[in-house]
Amino acid sequence: MSTVVAQSLHVFGLRSHVSNNVFFFDEHIVIFPSGNHCVKYNVDQKWQKFIPGSDKSQGMLALAISPNRRYLAVSETVQEKPVITIYELSSIPCRKRKILNNFDFPVQRFICMAFSPDSKYLLTQTSPPESNLVYWLWEKQKVMAIFRTDTQNNAVYQVSFNPQDNTQVCVTGNGMFKLLRFAEGTLKQTNFQRGEPQNYLAHTWVSDDRIIVGTDTGRLFLFESGDQRWETSIVVKEPTNETKNLGVIQESESLIEFPTLTSPVPSYEQVPMARSHSQMSLPQVLAIAAYSKGFACSAGPGRVLLFEKMEDKEFYHESREIRIPMDPQSHDPSQSDKQDVLCMCFSPSEEILIASTSKNQLYSITMSLTEISKGEPVHFEYLMHPLHSASITGLASCIRKPLIATCSVDRSVRIWNYESNTLELFKEYQEEAYTISLHPSGHFIVVGFADKLRLMNLLIDDIRSFKEYSVRGCKECCFSNGGHLFAAVNGNVIHIFTTTSLENISNLKGHTGKIRSVAWNSDDSRLISCGTDGAVYEWNLSTGKRETECVLKSCSYNCVTISPDGKIIFAVGSDQTLKEIADSSVLRETSAFDVTYTAIVISHSGRMMFVGTSVGTIRAMKYPLPLQKEFSEYQAHAGPVTKMLLTFDDQFLLTVAEDGCLFTWKVFDKDGRGVKREREVGFAEEVLVTKTDMEEKAQVMLELKSRVEELKMENEYQLRLKDMNYSEKIKELTDKFIQEMESLKTKNQVLRTEKEKQDILHHERIEDLLDKQSRELQDLECCNNQKLLLEYEKYQELQLKSQRMQEEYEKQLRDNDETKSQALEELTEFYEAKLQEKTTLLEEAQEDVRQQLREFEETKKQIEEDEDREIQDIKTKYEKKLRDEKESNLRLKGETGIMRKKFSSLQKEIEERTNDIEILKGEQVKLQGVIKSLEKDILGLKREIQERDETIQDKEKRIYDLKKKNQELEKFKFVLDYKIKELKKQIEPRENEIKVMKEQIQEMEAELERFHKQNTQLELNITELWQKLRATDQEMRRERQKERDLEALVKRFKTDLHNCVAYIQEPRLLKEKVRALFEKYVQRADMVEIAGLNSDLQQEYARQREHLERNLATLKKKVVKESELHHTDYVRIMQENVSLIKEINELRRELKFTRSQVYDLEAALKLTKKIQPQDVPETVPREDMLGMSPTMRLKEQEETGRIIEMQRLEIQRLRDQIQEQEQVPGFHPLAGMRLPSLLGSEVAQTK
């Protein structure tokens, strides 16, 4: 592999014809196709990253990004075969995840695609005539279903998934709007079109069952579950002034199931439409994009309409119009907005709207601007820069500045900066620009237009012409390396001009074909040129003559360059080779491997070489060129490379192509041997400014300075007024503050007195509570002691009783001993619990006292702190107010931005809430729809069961009726069989006779058909031979006429040339005579091309003549063979005809003999006067007729007469054909073979 590497840095261009050609990867990165790449462009930081196309790709056709922004699907054509490549965007760099290239169905190319909501499925649409919709499980490369969308070769424009449902699909195209559902492995249509078919160009889903669809007549339809719910028409009015007002009219709304197309009652908006119908044109809705508030749609050239949802209805109304701005740099600014919007997309936050147009431009707008500027016109802005919209034909760079100059057939000239990747200048003209060259200083350009060659200044803000040359259709121009000369090509002549005196100093003539490329050597002493005539010339500019030349007629050269040492010339052309030329000979040819090289450039160091191909790729190779296939090939453009060059420091490679894209590449050598050339002087920062512009700017500066002085004085006056106002306000505030301080002091004194009173009250309360507590404690102790004593006394008494009664109740005591002990325990526990309660109450009371003391202390402390804090707060408050008043001037200036930010954040919050609400509503509606659909399915199944039961009953009745009819028919059959048997007995003898007669007729017809077939075949062969002969005769006559004309022309030219020779001693007359000869015999259109093509034409003429002679010889051989075959056939037919004539003559003799016998018999019977000759056969004796009836004999005679007449006509026709064939060359008739004449034979018989 080659050690020379090229890395793509930046691209300026867009491919607008790719379906779905722009979308957001995230909030700041946009993806769009350019050349043969997909570009990831950061809107804020302005960097680009590339996703290259497939190897040997012929261009991208469609893009699709998954809803989760992880995958990108690219439809391409690779070597005439369709391929779908799916990239994983989350990986760095982006890698290929899947490649779909094996298809079990017929497909030419995929024209549009869409991912499912969960990104698992991919929907692809093929082009006509197949028009298949393919439903993929792309991760497994499995086709789930295929549906034929159209059978009439109508175009399909867009396919999409329901954003909430993987199984529902929408397809729109010319005359089709189809909703499909994937179920049980197939796609089935669920809607039915009603009304007239429309050309549906675009659609978008606004909810899970509602779709907005646009047509080519400016109509918008809202479909809900496949039924039309709303319609509106967009009409562009053409008023008398230059502005155009866009109105939405003819709106019809209906909530019924099948609404009509127009409202039954005409509204006030429809009345003026009928009056001014002739002033309106219908725009095409080519793109629709949905967002949370509604949707945006294209409305004709250069316009986009925003529709928002109505609050009280489920429909939409126009809220805003966005226009493409007019271009002040164009020669016709009104034409800049005449471009159709092909694709639109919103950023994930719906803050930015991006649109791509038919002129390869990208525009963007911030949605918040459309909301802020209500009532004012809103315009798009360029996303990057104004780009070329057609094939780029010219490319140039300079030494002193990092500038690139390009020109295109879109009639524009653009100056780019490859360091900052920006557009410095651009201007559009009325004529197409074919070529451009940039002066090494970067201050001038020379541009070849269709009408003139112009030398222009690059001003700070304009491109201005200062010299024009009448060189029409200049296709190549080039400044010398020193900048003191420039070369311009006009057909097959090179004009050399000087940049100092701007004069034409030399004209280099010698090429016989159009010159395609010129190049200067390093010291500008020589110029190298190549052209379509296969010639490469090296010119010496000091003498104006050719030094070396290398001519190869079989090759039409595209580009030429020269090595830095000036010894070797490199040329590429149509013969798919790279040639190294030195000393008028080809040293070496390197194959291009089945592609055509269209451009070539070699580095200033002489170690790197780059070539551009006809398929848009760039090849980087090392010099000297290797013997094997060692080069690096890079995917670049989607069309043939037109120009390429290296910057002066060999750091950047620049390429342009017919796809309208400009690529900048970073180049370096892996070996690193002297590739980087250090710049001794940095890039120049000087610019050209005209004197008038400087004077105007100086005048403007003076006016602005005076204006600034006035504003200063006015501001100082305003500041003084504000200082006076603020000083008064400060006095008022200080007085107010002092008064408030006094009032606060008095309040503080009052609060202190209140605090002392509160302290005294608290102390008194605490003493009362302590006394009360001590008294309650003493009372409780006394009560408890008395209770204990009483209990003890009772216990003693009970004990005595128990001792007395122990003897009497021993048995009961033993039985109740346990119960008594338990009762005793319960009592003790009960009283102990009571005692415990009392103690806890006492402790709680003590705790309450302590708590109240703590609370009192805390409240006291808090009141003191609150008072201090309030005083401090009041003080800081008024100090802050004072500072705020002083700084209010500065703060008011920043409040606008803060309020805007708050407004945008609140707006985002509102949108998020509305999105949540809409999602919940959508889920509710979706569930309701599912319930309704299930109920409909249940009703449909019930109806189907009922219908099937009815059909079964009908079929059973039908079977019963058929059985009855069958019985009756069997009875009739028996009767008819008996009758048929009787009739057969009567018919059989007649049938036998008819059969015999039919066999005779068939034999005679077969023989007649055989004769007819032979005759028709012979006629066809003869007519075919005649046609071939006539064609060859006509061709020979034309060639002879051409030869005679050319001979006459040559004779005239010889005589004129002989007359010119008489003036050989008079150069002036000789020159005039030669010029007259040139004008007389050379046509203007062939002046450039005839001379170089004479040898090719003679070779081609000789080859064609040889081919025609071979064809003529084969045709003659065929004619001879076919004439021999026809000769044998004619001999056989003649022999058969001779035998037939002999047989006819014998039959005639027999007939005459029989007639004489009949005549003799009639004379004997004296009946000759009464019987006519035609009745004679009836009186022939029976033994002569061989047992035949008279009618049969008469029929045979008539039949023989007819056959004889037919044979006579056939023989006459064959004689005519033989006479015609005798005139054909190569055909020799039979010698001495002639047919006997029928008339002669008849005369002989009569004699």
Side-chain angles (χ1 to χ4, degrees):
M1 290 297 292
S2 172
T3 58
V4 179
V5 179
Q7 182 180 358
S8 53
L9 284 183
H10 205 85
V11 63
F12 302 96
L14 169 71
R15 295 188 62 205
S16 60
H17 66 276
V18 177
S19 176
N20 192 18
N21 55 30
V22 61
F23 39 79
F24 276 91
F25 173 62
D26 56 27
E27 190 64 34
H28 304 289
I29 297 176
V30 180
I31 297 178
F32 58 88
S34 182
N36 208 14
H37 292 73
C38 282
V39 182
K40 292 172 70 174
Y41 175 67
N42 190 301
V43 179
D44 295 336
Q45 300 176 10
K46 310 298 182 185
W47 54 255
Q48 289 184 353
K49 292 183 180 178
F50 295 88
I51 305 170
S54 303
D55 291 339
K56 299 181 181 178
S57 172
Q58 295 169 302
M60 299 178 183
L61 299 172
L63 302 178
I65 191 169
S66 61
N68 60 8
R69 314 286 177 180
R70 286 188 60 190
Y71 306 110
L72 171 68
V74 180
S75 169
E76 298 174 284
T77 303
V78 179
Q79 294 182 337
E80 305 298 333
K81 293 182 181 179
V83 173
I84 296 176
T85 309
I86 298 170
Y87 295 89
E88 189 169 351
L89 296 174
S90 56
S91 63
I92 300 175
C94 298
R95 64 181 181 89
K96 294 181 180 180
R97 182 69 178 267
K98 288 290 176 185
I99 299 175
L100 309 179
N101 54 7
N102 295 321
F103 310 109
D104 299 332
F105 48 88
V107 56
Q108 293 181 359
R109 53 200 177 102
F110 294 97
I111 54 176
C112 49
M113 302 182 293
F115 276 98
S116 62
D118 58 0
S119 305
K120 292 182 179 178
Y121 300 96
L122 180 67
L123 200 64
T124 60
Q125 175 66 47
T126 67
S127 61
E130 297 89 7
S131 297
N132 288 325
L133 183 68
V134 188
Y135 190 93
W136 295 84
L137 181 60
W138 63 267
E139 195 73 40
K140 298 181 179 179
Q141 300 184 3
K142 182 180 178 183
V143 176
M144 306 296 290
I146 298 178
F147 179 78
R148 183 77 180 271
T149 54
D150 184 67
T151 57
Q152 300 177 356
N153 289 339
N154 288 328
V156 178
Y157 299 116
Q158 189 178 355
V159 297
S160 65
F161 274 98
N162 186 324
Q164 306 293 333
D165 190 357
N166 283 347
T167 62
Q168 192 171 16
V169 173
C170 179
V171 182
T172 53
N174 188 1
M176 73 178 76
F177 170 71
K178 295 183 180 181
L179 289 175
L180 309 173
R181 187 170 288 280
F182 176 74
E184 299 177 357
T186 58
L187 285 167
K188 296 179 181 178
Q189 188 171 353
T190 59
N191 71 319
F192 300 97
Q193 294 187 10
R194 298 177 177 85
E196 295 181 2
Q198 303 280 337
N199 188 5
Y200 299 106
L201 300 179
H203 71 266
T204 188
W205 295 78
V206 293
S207 66
D208 57 351
D209 60 346
R210 294 159 70 89
I211 305 173
I212 295 290
V213 186
T215 70
D216 62 344
T217 58
R219 303 174 75 183
L220 291 173
F221 297 96
L222 174 63
F223 291 94
E224 185 174 357
S225 301
D227 298 329
Q228 183 182 328
R229 297 297 186 193
W230 174 75
E231 172 192 350
T232 186
S233 293
I234 303 168
V235 177
V236 179
K237 296 183 180 179
E238 301 285 349
T240 55
N241 56 359
E242 294 180 357
T243 60
K244 298 179 181 178
N245 298 321
L246 198 71
V248 177
I249 63 168
Q250 196 179 350
E251 182 173 327
S252 60
E253 301 173 357
S254 177
L255 297 174
I256 61 173
E257 191 172 358
F258 305 111
T260 58
L261 291 177
T262 56
S263 180
V265 180
S267 64
Y268 70 95
E269 293 177 331
Q270 295 171 342
V271 176
M273 188 272 302
R275 293 176 183 170
S276 60
H277 183 71
S278 62
Q279 298 181 358
M280 299 181 183
S281 60
L282 297 175
Q284 291 185 343
V285 182
L286 295 170
I288 306 177
Y291 68 114
S292 59
K293 294 182 179 180
F295 65 91
C297 71
S298 63
R303 286 173 174 79
V304 172
L305 289 181
L306 296 180
F307 283 82
E308 292 185 359
K309 198 172 183 181
M310 298 182 184
E311 295 180 357
D312 53 344
K313 298 179 181 178
E314 293 296 320
F315 305 128
Y316 299 87
H317 68 93
E318 181 198 349
S319 63
R320 203 83 188 107
E321 176 187 356
I322 309 172
R323 298 185 183 182
I324 292 176
M326 290 190 292
D327 189 359
Q329 300 296 330
S330 175
H331 69 280
D332 187 3
S334 62
Q335 293 296 320
S336 60
D337 60 349
K338 298 290 180 61
Q339 44 187 327
D340 292 321
V341 177
L342 300 181
C343 185
M344 293 187 295
C345 67
F346 286 94
S347 63
S349 65
E350 298 180 355
E351 181 64 22
I352 299 172
L353 171 64
I354 286 184
S356 66
T357 69
S358 57
K359 289 189 177 179
N360 298 350
Q361 304 297 330
L362 282 173
Y363 293 95
S364 68
I365 190 169
T366 305
M367 294 301 292
S368 58
L369 293 178
T370 62
E371 297 173 0
I372 293 169
S373 59
K374 293 286 185 183
E376 297 178 3
V378 183
H379 292 89
F380 280 108
E381 296 177 352
Y382 284 107
L383 180 66
M384 298 183 291
H385 314 286
L387 306 172
H388 281 294
S389 60
S391 172
I392 300 176
T393 56
L395 174 69
S397 68
C398 63
I399 300 173
R400 294 287 291 121
K401 291 186 178 183
L403 298 181
I404 309 168
T406 58
C407 65
S408 168
V409 294
D410 63 3
R411 302 176 178 178
S412 68
V413 173
R414 298 168 195 261
I415 308 298
W416 313 85
N417 189 315
Y418 61 81
E419 260 197 347
S420 59
N421 295 322
T422 56
L423 179 66
E424 297 277 339
L425 294 170
F426 85 98
K427 196 168 185 179
E428 292 187 3
Y429 298 90
Q430 294 182 354
E431 302 85 15
E432 292 183 358
Y434 296 133
T435 181
I436 193 169
S437 183
L438 190 58
H439 193 269
S441 65
H443 291 158
F444 316 106
I445 58 172
V446 59
V447 185
F449 290 97
D451 60 343
K452 288 183 181 179
L453 179 72
R454 291 182 172 91
L455 196 60
M456 302 182 176
N457 281 325
L458 296 182
L459 304 180
I460 189 170
D461 56 359
D462 193 12
I463 303 173
R464 196 169 298 171
S465 174
F466 66 91
K467 179 66 176 175
E468 293 184 352
Y469 300 96
S470 58
V471 179
R472 298 177 63 86
C474 177
K475 296 296 180 70
E476 278 294 323
C477 66
C478 184
F479 274 104
S480 62
N481 295 317
H484 60 292
L485 300 174
F486 68 90
V489 174
N490 182 14
N492 59 354
V493 179
I494 305 173
H495 302 283
I496 307 297
F497 298 91
T498 175
T499 56
T500 54
S501 61
L502 306 177
E503 292 178 355
N504 183 6
I505 60 172
S506 179
N507 294 321
L508 308 179
K509 299 178 182 179
H511 280 278
T512 57
K514 292 182 179 178
I515 298 171
R516 298 292 299 276
S517 178
V518 294
W520 297 84
N521 69 342
S522 58
D523 59 357
D524 297 334
S525 62
R526 287 175 294 168
L527 183 72
I528 295 87
S529 64
C530 69
T532 57
D533 55 356
V536 176
Y537 294 149
E538 186 175 5
W539 306 86
N540 190 327
L541 294 181
S542 60
T543 61
K545 295 180 181 180
R546 285 180 291 192
E547 283 195 350
T548 63
E549 60 181 39
C550 178
V551 181
L552 188 63
K553 296 288 186 182
S554 61
C555 177
S556 175
Y557 287 107
N558 295 323
C559 188
V560 68
T561 188
I562 188 168
S563 61
D565 57 5
K567 294 179 180 179
I568 300 176
I569 299 170
F570 303 94
V572 293
S574 59
D575 59 351
Q576 298 184 352
T577 59
L578 190 157
K579 296 179 179 62
E580 297 181 46
I581 302 169
D583 298 329
S584 301
S585 62
V586 178
L587 295 180
R588 182 180 172 194
E589 289 188 0
T590 306
S591 175
F593 303 100
D594 299 329
V595 297
T596 301
Y597 288 152
T598 58
I600 183 169
V601 64
I602 189 168
S603 66
H604 298 85
S605 63
R607 295 195 181 98
M608 297 184 295
M609 183 177 288
F610 300 90
V611 288
T613 68
S614 58
V615 295
T617 58
I618 303 297
R619 290 181 178 178
M621 54 190 75
K622 201 170 181 181
Y623 187 80
L625 297 176
L627 297 174
Q628 292 82 15
K629 185 179 178 180
E630 292 184 6
F631 54 79
S632 301
E633 188 164 10
Y634 301 97
Q635 297 294 322
H637 296 276
V641 177
T642 55
K643 298 286 180 183
M644 60 192 302
L645 57 86
L646 280 163
T647 56
F648 183 70
D649 55 0
D650 288 345
Q651 295 295 307
F652 300 97
L653 174 69
L654 314 172
T655 62
V656 294
E658 290 182 5
D659 59 1
C661 298
L662 166 63
F663 274 85
T664 61
W665 307 76
K666 176 73 174 176
V667 295
F668 52 91
D669 191 342
K670 287 183 180 177
D671 294 342
R673 291 186 293 108
V675 173
K676 187 173 182 181
R677 300 176 64 189
E678 297 293 338
R679 296 186 60 88
E680 297 178 358
V681 181
F683 286 125
E685 296 182 356
E686 297 84 3
V687 292
L688 291 181
V689 182
T690 61
K691 188 176 180 181
T692 54
D693 290 342
M694 284 294 293
E695 290 174 353
E696 288 176 1
K697 284 189 166 67
Q699 186 65 31
V700 171
M701 286 174 66
L702 289 173
E703 292 176 357
L704 289 173
K705 283 180 180 178
S706 61
R707 180 64 180 159
V708 166
E709 293 296 330
E710 291 175 0
L711 288 172
K712 278 183 180 179
M713 293 175 65
E714 189 175 351
N715 286 331
E716 288 175 358
Y717 177 69
Q718 293 291 335
L719 285 171
R720 282 198 298 271
L721 290 176
K722 285 181 181 179
D723 288 338
M724 292 171 64
N725 291 328
Y726 286 138
S727 59
E728 292 177 356
K729 286 181 180 179
I730 288 168
K731 286 181 181 178
E732 292 176 357
L733 287 171
T734 50
D735 294 339
K736 188 176 180 182
F737 180 72
I738 290 167
Q739 291 176 0
E740 287 181 355
M741 287 287 289
E742 293 295 329
S743 61
L744 285 171
K745 283 180 181 178
T746 54
K747 283 182 181 178
N748 193 11
Q749 190 67 33
V750 171
L751 287 171
R752 281 180 181 174
T753 54
E754 287 180 357
K755 180 190 172 187
E756 290 175 356
K757 289 179 181 178
Q758 290 289 334
D759 289 339
I760 294 166
L761 288 172
H762 281 302
H763 284 300
E764 290 176 354
R765 285 180 185 174
I766 287 167
E767 289 175 356
D768 294 339
L769 285 171
L770 289 171
D771 293 339
K772 189 177 179 181
Q773 184 187 4
S774 61
R775 285 196 299 272
E776 287 178 355
L777 185 63
Q778 289 175 2
D779 293 339
L780 285 170
E781 287 177 354
C782 292
C783 290
N784 286 329
N785 290 329
Q786 289 176 3
K787 286 180 181 178
L788 284 170
L789 289 171
L790 288 171
E791 291 295 327
Y792 183 76
E793 288 175 356
K794 286 180 181 179
Y795 176 72
Q796 290 293 332
E797 289 176 358
L798 287 169
Q799 193 174 5
L800 291 171
K801 285 181 180 179
S802 64
Q803 288 177 0
R804 285 196 301 269
M805 294 174 69
Q806 186 175 1
E807 293 176 358
E808 297 176 357
Y809 301 106
E810 277 185 359
K811 191 175 182 179
Q812 292 181 3
L813 286 172
R814 280 197 302 273
D815 294 337
N816 297 326
D817 189 14
E818 293 178 0
T819 58
K820 283 184 180 179
S821 62
Q822 288 176 358
L824 183 63
E825 286 176 0
E826 287 175 358
L827 284 169
T828 52
E829 286 177 358
F830 173 73
Y831 286 111
E832 283 176 357
K834 269 191 174 184
L835 182 63
Q836 190 69 26
E837 285 177 2
K838 295 297 181 183
T839 53
T840 53
L841 286 170
L842 181 62
E843 288 175 358
E844 286 175 359
Q846 291 175 354
E847 185 67 29
D848 288 340
V849 171
R850 288 193 295 272
Q851 184 67 28
Q852 285 177 1
L853 285 169
R854 283 196 300 272
E855 286 178 357
F856 173 74
E857 292 293 332
E858 188 67 28
T859 51
K860 179 181 174 184
K861 192 186 295 181
Q862 284 180 359
I863 288 167
E864 291 175 352
E865 289 176 356
D866 289 342
E867 292 298 330
D868 295 337
R869 195 182 299 112
E870 282 180 6
I871 292 164
Q872 190 67 29
D873 289 342
I874 289 165
K875 185 177 179 181
T876 55
K877 179 180 173 183
Y878 285 102
E879 287 177 356
K880 189 177 181 182
K881 276 186 180 180
L882 190 61
R883 283 196 306 273
D884 291 340
E885 288 295 333
K886 287 180 180 178
E887 296 174 358
S888 61
N889 235 354
L890 297 173
R891 190 172 64 253
L892 286 170
K893 292 180 182 177
E895 280 182 358
T896 307
I898 295 165
M899 292 301 291
R900 282 181 182 171
K901 289 181 182 177
K902 285 184 179 179
F903 177 76
S904 61
S905 62
L906 290 171
Q907 193 71 22
K908 287 180 182 177
E909 289 180 5
I910 292 165
E911 288 175 358
E912 289 174 0
R913 299 293 181 273
T914 51
N915 286 331
D916 296 339
I917 293 164
E918 286 179 358
I919 290 166
L920 292 172
K921 285 183 180 178
E923 290 177 355
Q924 184 180 359
V925 172
K926 183 178 177 182
L927 292 171
Q928 288 176 356
V930 171
I931 292 165
K932 286 179 183 177
S933 62
L934 292 172
E935 288 176 353
K936 287 179 182 178
D937 293 340
I938 291 164
L939 290 172
L941 291 169
K942 286 180 179 179
R943 283 197 296 272
E944 191 175 355
I945 291 164
Q946 190 174 358
E947 288 172 358
R948 287 185 179 177
D949 291 338
E950 290 174 356
T951 53
I952 290 165
Q953 291 176 3
D954 294 338
K955 286 180 180 178
E956 287 177 352
K957 288 179 183 178
R958 180 69 177 161
I959 290 165
Y960 180 70
D961 294 336
L962 290 171
K963 284 180 179 178
K964 282 186 177 180
K965 286 182 181 179
N966 196 9
Q967 291 175 0
E968 292 175 358
L969 290 170
E970 284 177 356
K971 292 177 183 177
F972 285 119
K973 182 182 177 185
F974 180 74
V975 175
L976 291 170
D977 287 339
Y978 180 72
K979 288 182 179 179
I980 288 164
K981 286 177 183 178
E982 289 182 351
L983 291 169
K984 278 183 180 179
K985 289 177 183 178
Q986 297 175 6
I987 292 168
E988 279 179 0
R990 292 181 186 175
E991 284 182 348
N992 292 329
E993 292 177 4
I994 292 165
K995 190 175 182 183
V996 172
M997 299 290 285
K998 281 183 178 178
E999 287 176 356
Q1000 292 177 359
I1001 292 164
Q1002 285 176 359
E1003 289 175 358
M1004 293 172 75
E1005 286 178 351
E1007 190 173 0
L1008 189 62
E1009 279 183 10
R1010 192 166 61 254
F1011 280 121
H1012 278 304
K1013 285 180 181 177
Q1014 289 176 357
N1015 293 333
T1016 53
Q1017 184 64 35
L1018 289 168
E1019 285 177 2
L1020 289 171
N1021 292 335
I1022 289 163
T1023 53
E1024 186 178 355
L1025 289 168
W1026 265 108
Q1027 287 174 359
K1028 289 179 180 177
L1029 187 62
R1030 286 193 194 98
T1032 53
D1033 286 340
Q1034 288 175 2
E1035 187 67 26
M1036 286 174 68
R1037 283 195 293 272
R1038 281 198 298 272
E1039 292 297 328
R1040 285 172 183 167
Q1041 184 64 34
K1042 284 183 182 176
E1043 187 177 358
R1044 285 195 295 273
D1045 294 342
L1046 289 171
E1047 285 176 356
L1049 183 64
V1050 169
K1051 284 179 182 177
R1052 288 198 305 273
F1053 183 78
K1054 281 181 179 178
T1055 55
D1056 292 340
L1057 187 62
H1058 182 70
N1059 293 331
C1060 284
V1061 171
Y1063 300 101
I1064 194 71
Q1065 299 299 327
E1066 298 178 4
R1068 187 176 58 80
L1069 293 174
L1070 181 63
K1071 183 178 180 182
E1072 291 177 357
K1073 292 293 182 181
V1074 170
R1075 184 178 291 138
L1077 273 177
F1078 184 82
E1079 291 174 354
K1080 183 176 180 181
Y1081 290 103
V1082 180
Q1083 298 293 330
R1084 285 195 176 182
D1086 303 331
M1087 285 169 64
V1088 178
E1089 299 173 358
I1090 284 175
L1093 298 176
N1094 281 338
S1095 60
D1096 296 337
L1097 285 173
Q1098 288 172 2
Q1099 291 175 5
E1100 181 66 19
Y1101 173 71
R1103 191 177 63 80
Q1104 293 289 341
R1105 183 176 177 179
E1106 187 181 353
H1107 176 66
L1108 290 171
E1109 286 175 355
R1110 285 199 299 270
N1111 287 345
L1112 188 60
T1114 54
L1115 287 171
K1116 283 181 179 178
K1117 289 177 183 177
K1118 273 188 183 178
V1119 168
V1120 172
K1121 286 182 183 177
E1122 289 176 355
S1123 64
E1124 289 174 358
L1125 292 173
H1126 289 308
H1127 176 68
T1128 55
D1129 290 337
Y1130 283 135
V1131 171
R1132 183 176 54 78
I1133 291 165
M1134 285 176 187
Q1135 290 173 355
E1136 289 176 357
N1137 287 335
V1138 168
S1139 61
L1140 286 169
I1141 290 166
K1142 287 178 181 179
E1143 190 176 348
I1144 289 164
N1145 291 331
E1146 289 174 1
L1147 288 170
R1148 283 180 177 172
R1149 282 195 295 273
E1150 288 177 6
L1151 180 60
K1152 194 170 185 182
F1153 177 71
T1154 52
R1155 282 179 180 174
S1156 64
Q1157 284 182 352
V1158 171
Y1159 183 75
D1160 293 338
L1161 289 170
E1162 287 175 351
L1165 295 172
K1166 296 180 181 179
L1167 296 171
T1168 54
K1169 291 182 180 179
K1170 296 179 181 178
I1171 299 172
Q1172 300 295 330
Q1174 62 268 23
D1175 297 331
V1176 172
E1178 295 181 1
T1179 62
V1180 177
R1182 186 174 295 277
E1183 60 270 11
D1184 295 330
M1185 296 293 108
L1186 301 174
M1188 294 177 71
S1189 62
T1191 57
M1192 291 295 288
R1193 286 198 299 276
L1194 192 66
K1195 287 180 180 177
E1196 282 184 359
Q1197 288 177 3
E1198 291 175 356
E1199 187 67 29
T1200 53
R1202 283 198 298 274
I1203 289 170
I1204 289 164
E1205 185 66 29
M1206 288 170 64
Q1207 290 294 332
R1208 186 186 289 115
L1209 294 171
E1210 185 66 25
I1211 288 163
Q1212 186 64 35
R1213 189 176 63 78
L1214 289 171
R1215 279 179 177 164
D1216 296 337
Q1217 288 182 1
I1218 288 164
Q1219 288 176 2
E1220 290 174 358
Q1221 287 292 328
E1222 286 176 356
Q1223 298 174 1
V1224 178
F1227 179 82
H1228 303 288
L1230 289 170
M1233 180 68 74
R1234 293 188 66 82
L1235 291 174
S1237 175
L1238 289 173
L1239 296 173
S1241 63
E1242 288 178 2
V1243 171
Q1245 292 294 330
T1246 54
K1247 289 181 180 177

